Amino acid sequence: METFNIPATPSLMKEFLRQMGGTAVIDGGLATVLELHGADLNDPLWSAKCLLTSPHLIRSVHLDYLEAGADIIITASYQATIQGFEAKGFSREQSENLLKKSVDIALEARRIYYERWSKSSSGGTGDGRILKNRPILVAASVGSYGAYLADGSEYSGCYGEAMTVNALKEFHRRRVQVLAEAGPDIIAFETVPNKIEAQAFAELLEEEHIKIPAWLTFNSKDGVNVVSGDSLLQCASIAESCKQVVAVGINCTPPRFIHDLILAIKKVTTKPIVIYPNSGERYDADRKEWVDR
């Protein structure tokens, strides 16, 4: 079986995209499909709850996406934090092991996918599944501080006036270290709702000499700024100025805003653009569900 050697350097994403012909496909929503498989995610840990209760379902969903043609799979660690696990009664060591487990599951899914490809005689199976020997990246998800709070504040960016860049760095520091040490191809800082958290992530990457490259994706509710009201251009500029950040973009944002947001980001960066919007619904933090709009 052919192996793909894409070094974990600042050129990772550009080299990956070169091998993919210029574009690549990210997987879809993890929690949505976990619930379709029967998982109960009504918990502050959200999809990370399955790391405790049903890791086999996470692996299955990763495989589903790979067999649907995804080139990048994102780990079940968006809402997985050391602080969140400790609040559930886990020790620091157990909490760190659960973070590592999220990466291990995705790496295992990729290995199984390649094994299935090696046993197939063509690029498909006759049932719609895509089995193709191609580069596949595992992205370790790091959700925002607001995701840990589980109160919807990642959709507002309102952390209170007392929150600082240094406090956010301390909150995320060990989590980022553990995920990086687990061996993903890239770290995905997702749903970044404000400028101070973007700055915290960029400084953490540099201070801790994180060897794994990263992307930063922001969310917007007006098609102009990030959800906190901070300038998207200023946030994207922070990502542009950090050498370890190899791509920048938008996630969890209504599709109708995406085109203009891409054009805005391209004004301040030459790095590859990452886009994975939501389905156009609005998140109701009180009901903890997406509602039509």
Side-chain angles (χ1 to χ4, degrees):
M1 182 174 63
E2 180 184 352
T3 58
F4 297 93
N5 182 22
I6 302 176
T9 67
S11 63
L12 173 136
M13 187 59 73
K14 289 184 177 180
E15 174 59 21
F16 173 66
L17 290 174
R18 185 192 67 77
Q19 293 190 25
M20 298 302 298
T23 59
V25 178
I26 306 173
D27 61 9
L30 180 64
T32 305
V33 186
L34 286 171
E35 288 179 325
L36 289 176
H37 279 274
D40 177 9
L41 304 183
N42 185 20
D43 190 277
L45 293 176
W46 198 37
S47 55
K49 178 185 176 184
C50 287
L51 293 170
L52 304 168
T53 60
S54 44
H56 64 286
L57 286 186
I58 299 172
R59 185 183 66 189
S60 178
V61 173
H62 286 325
L63 276 164
D64 285 348
Y65 276 124
L66 290 173
E67 293 181 347
D71 306 306
I72 302 172
I73 51 175
I74 303 176
T75 63
S77 51
Y78 174 79
Q79 212 143 317
T81 63
I82 292 171
Q83 297 88 338
F85 288 131
E86 288 180 335
K88 290 281 188 179
F90 292 92
S91 68
R92 173 60 60 98
E93 182 181 7
Q94 289 172 322
S95 301
E96 292 184 1
N97 285 337
L98 284 166
L99 281 173
K100 181 178 181 295
K101 186 176 183 180
S102 70
V103 177
D104 290 341
I105 291 169
L107 293 173
E108 183 185 15
R110 179 172 64 181
R111 178 185 59 76
I112 293 172
Y113 177 83
Y114 282 141
E115 287 179 355
R116 290 181 181 178
W117 165 82
S118 69
K119 295 175 182 176
S120 70
S121 57
S122 64
T125 61
D127 58 4
R129 290 184 294 150
I130 298 170
L131 294 177
K132 182 181 177 183
N133 196 25
R134 66 192 192 278
I136 293 169
L137 296 185
V138 169
S141 173
V142 176
S144 66
Y145 174 70
Y148 155 74
L149 295 176
D151 61 0
S153 57
E154 74 263 46
Y155 306 115
S156 69
C158 298
Y159 292 169
E161 294 183 3
M163 183 53 68
T164 64
V165 170
N166 284 336
L168 287 169
K169 285 194 293 187
E170 290 314 304
F171 174 80
H172 288 294
R173 190 179 303 276
R174 184 59 188 152
R175 175 195 194 188
V176 172
Q177 290 172 334
V178 171
L179 288 171
E181 291 165 1
D185 301 297
I186 193 166
I187 299 173
F189 294 106
E190 306 186 274
T191 324
V192 183
N194 52 42
K195 184 178 170 183
I196 62 167
E197 196 150 29
Q199 189 66 47
F201 286 142
E203 291 183 14
L204 258 186
L205 288 170
E206 294 175 352
E207 290 174 6
E208 297 302 321
H209 306 289
I210 300 296
K211 300 292 191 258
I212 305 296
W215 79 48
L216 258 69
T217 54
F218 303 92
N219 55 340
S220 173
K221 57 187 176 185
D222 62 6
V224 178
N225 300 306
V226 298
V227 292
S228 65
D230 292 339
S231 163
L232 172 64
L233 294 182
Q234 290 181 8
C235 291
S237 294
I238 291 171
E240 166 66 15
S241 65
C242 180
K243 290 181 180 179
Q244 288 97 322
V245 174
V246 297
V248 57
I250 299 291
N251 77 297
C252 204
T253 293
R256 66 184 182 275
F257 294 144
I258 296 300
H259 180 265
D260 288 343
L261 291 169
I262 292 173
L263 295 179
I265 291 171
K266 286 175 72 70
K267 291 178 181 178
V268 295
T269 185
T270 58
K271 295 178 180 180
I273 306 294
V274 185
I275 295 295
Y276 45 123
N278 61 27
S279 61
E281 298 168 309
R282 175 181 59 83
Y283 186 74
D284 187 318
D286 294 326
R287 293 160 58 183
K288 294 190 183 301
E289 63 183 36
W290 292 93
V291 295
D292 289 330
R293 187 173 183 178

